[in-house]
Amino acid sequence: MSSQPPIAPAMMLNIFTTIAGDLQRVEATIEEALVTDVPLLQEVSTHLLHAGGKRIRPALLLLTAKFPGVPLERVLPVAAAVELIHMASLVHDDVVDESRVRRGRPTVNAQWSNQISVLTGDYLFAKAFAMLAQTGNTRVVEIMANTVYEISKGELAQIASYFDVAQTEADYYERIAQKTGYLLAECCRLGGVIAGVEEEQIQALFDYGMGVGLSFQIADDLLDFHGSAKTVGKPVGGDLKLGILTLPVIYALANSADSEELRAIILTRAVGDQQVERAKEILAACGAFDYARQQADHHLAQGQAALDRVPDLETREALKDLAHFVINRSF
């Protein structure tokens, strides 16, 4: 995908070496926060924790807070809270999308029910904001409240756009910024806020995170066409079947010689495996996948360039490497 060589898992471990101990502390903080005397809630929370995940969001926060003299204790509760917010959003997403598998494991709604999923997501959101409030930093609480607001708007915009063949690239970018970009970007902003650096550097960290977030979502959209169920952690081709039109599809609708056929496939609102395969042929023929990869590279480059405006950050190179891993993780 990128002009840079893909980052191997071993290199990913090297990226996290500088914060390996910090991430272990974050994990312990999350586990402690989710201890409850309600057996069902404890069972569901344990299921979510064991589902894993790369903890990209707390890692970004830890890395962007690595300014001289910033104590880890100041960062830990916020890093744990942002992961809880991410977990909550995924639990709710799986209900909305009727997903049965995530990261190779049954979703909460598949193993229990939609009711339990919704209430568990609410619980995780409440727990996260209680942890943020305990920091005594009202700006931190405000930033994450606005982030959840943007995520919710993005989810609603996505539902409203199902099978809408008239949507534009601008519509797509607004939606993915809300759904994905803001959480990553605000994690990076929080690093600077907690560190107490100047606003110019805080904005630069946000810009880095947004560039990574947009690249991440485009890469994820490509994985939905080219990944395997094992790699993606959920069935492939699911977006188009649901009516979620991602960047390659929107590009092909505007530029493919077979755009009318693609439009007809989408408007049936009954997209199966055969229709997904035909759509992939149309997208490949018009260069839609190549275009999407180029756009991912473009946003990644913009994000990395923003780090040059943060000269005192000790982890700039690790953040640049992490950005490449995020969008090259399966290409």
Side-chain angles (χ1 to χ4, degrees):
M1 169 177 294
S2 170
S3 57
Q4 297 290 331
I7 291 181
M11 188 175 291
M12 181 59 188
L13 293 176
N14 290 336
I15 294 169
F16 278 174
T17 295
T18 57
I19 57 168
D22 297 353
L23 279 173
Q24 289 178 354
R25 294 278 302 278
V26 171
E27 199 73 13
T29 303
I30 294 172
E31 290 185 17
E32 182 180 352
L34 293 181
V35 171
T36 174
D37 58 2
V38 180
L40 177 59
L41 192 53
Q42 187 67 59
E43 185 181 2
V44 177
S45 298
T46 300
H47 173 84
L48 289 169
L49 281 171
H50 289 171
K54 298 180 179 66
R55 305 297 191 242
I56 295 292
R57 290 147 193 87
L60 283 171
L61 199 155
L62 290 167
L63 289 166
T64 53
K66 285 289 183 182
F67 289 88
V70 178
L72 178 62
E73 286 68 25
R74 192 190 302 172
V75 186
L76 275 178
V78 184
V82 298
E83 184 65 14
L84 290 177
I85 288 171
H86 175 56
M87 290 167 61
S89 69
L90 294 183
V91 171
H92 283 173
D93 280 355
D94 288 337
V95 174
V96 172
D97 297 340
E98 300 180 0
S99 299
R100 311 299 293 176
V101 177
R102 182 178 288 278
R103 296 169 181 157
R105 294 168 60 91
T107 57
V108 174
N109 50 300
Q111 186 151 331
W112 285 276
S113 67
N114 284 344
Q115 293 94 328
I116 289 175
S117 295
V118 171
L119 293 171
T120 299
D122 292 347
Y123 168 77
L124 294 173
F125 276 127
K127 177 63 71 172
F129 277 98
M131 294 174 70
L132 293 174
Q134 287 169 4
T135 68
N137 189 328
T138 57
R139 185 177 181 188
V140 167
V141 178
E142 181 182 8
I143 286 172
M144 291 315 298
N146 286 334
T147 302
V148 174
Y149 169 69
E150 292 294 342
I151 292 172
S152 301
K153 285 202 304 180
E155 290 292 345
L156 288 168
Q158 178 168 284
I159 292 171
S161 71
Y162 283 172
F163 299 105
D164 179 7
V165 295
Q167 61 190 285
T168 65
E169 283 192 31
D171 297 328
Y172 167 81
Y173 276 117
E174 181 177 10
R175 186 173 76 239
I176 69 168
Q178 292 170 328
K179 275 176 49 65
T180 304
Y182 274 104
L183 182 52
L184 294 179
E186 296 296 9
C187 285
C188 295
R189 189 200 300 273
L190 284 173
V193 169
I194 294 168
V197 299
E198 296 177 354
E199 286 299 323
E200 291 80 2
Q201 296 193 65
I202 292 173
Q203 183 62 47
L205 292 171
F206 175 90
D207 293 343
Y208 161 80
M210 183 60 75
V212 171
L214 296 178
S215 299
F216 177 91
Q217 187 58 60
I218 295 170
D220 202 55
D221 294 343
L222 286 166
L223 279 177
D224 193 60
F225 285 106
H226 294 303
S228 65
K230 181 178 180 180
T231 299
V232 179
K234 57 184 178 179
V236 297
D239 286 344
L240 192 56
K241 292 176 183 178
L242 283 171
I244 300 171
L245 307 191
T246 55
L247 184 58
V249 176
I250 293 170
Y251 177 87
L253 284 170
N255 295 281
S256 172
D258 298 309
S259 61
E260 287 305 316
E261 181 184 355
L262 180 60
R263 190 183 308 269
I265 289 172
I266 295 166
L267 291 176
T268 65
R269 292 177 173 260
V271 181
D273 291 339
Q274 185 176 350
Q275 289 76 24
V276 169
E277 289 304 312
R278 177 55 187 149
K280 285 173 64 175
E281 293 173 356
I282 293 171
L283 270 56
C286 72
F289 296 130
D290 291 337
Y291 174 77
R293 292 179 183 119
Q294 290 165 6
Q295 292 303 301
D297 279 343
H298 168 71
H299 292 291
L300 178 66
Q302 284 192 323
Q304 289 181 315
L307 290 176
D308 294 333
R309 292 149 43 202
V310 194
D312 297 330
L313 185 62
E314 299 171 355
T315 51
R316 284 194 300 161
E317 293 307 312
L319 282 165
K320 289 182 179 181
D321 288 341
L322 177 59
H324 275 298
F325 172 81
V326 163
I327 73 163
N328 283 302
R329 61 198 187 280
S330 297
F331 292 94

